[in-house]
Amino acid sequence: MNAYAMQAVWSRISSLQGERFETVSGKPFTYTVSGNSLVTDRTDFVLSAADFAKALELVPISGPGEISSLVRGSSYIWAILHDPRIRQGEW
């Protein structure tokens, strides 16, 4: 995925902060974005845009286990990237 595409996806992610998302196991969460990082309401650690970019290179991904050794917060990154509002039919 090129840098332009990542910018577009990060823009979608940013625009949906505060909206409800669900992990693959159905746990609801929201998040806030600050610059190139994101924090969910279920965690206190930062998820970086760089980790989203790493995962974006592999989409579609069958589940968070496929990226757990690649990124921090794989269940959240997977859930956000595979949400229809973010995917917009692109993967």
Side-chain angles (χ1 to χ4, degrees):
M1 177 108 358
N2 65 37
Y4 173 76
M6 178 53 198
Q7 279 185 315
V9 171
W10 191 253
S11 178
R12 288 181 219 151
I13 290 169
S14 297
S15 73
L16 291 169
Q17 66 181 317
E19 298 290 322
R20 184 175 189 245
F21 286 76
E22 285 187 11
T23 64
V24 71
S25 61
K27 294 177 183 165
F29 69 94
T30 62
Y31 59 80
T32 56
V33 174
S34 178
N36 288 326
S37 62
L38 174 156
V39 177
T40 77
D41 65 341
R42 297 182 63 87
T43 64
D44 59 358
F45 57 84
V46 172
L47 304 177
S48 72
D51 279 346
F52 280 86
K54 288 177 194 174
L56 201 55
E57 292 289 332
L58 305 172
V59 294
I61 304 163
S62 64
E66 284 190 38
I67 56 171
S68 62
S69 64
L70 183 66
V71 299
R72 183 175 197 188
S74 60
S75 60
Y76 300 106
I77 290 175
W78 183 90
I80 292 168
L81 289 179
H82 286 80
D83 185 281
R85 297 169 289 179
I86 302 297
R87 291 171 65 172
Q88 293 187 352
E90 292 180 9
W91 56 86

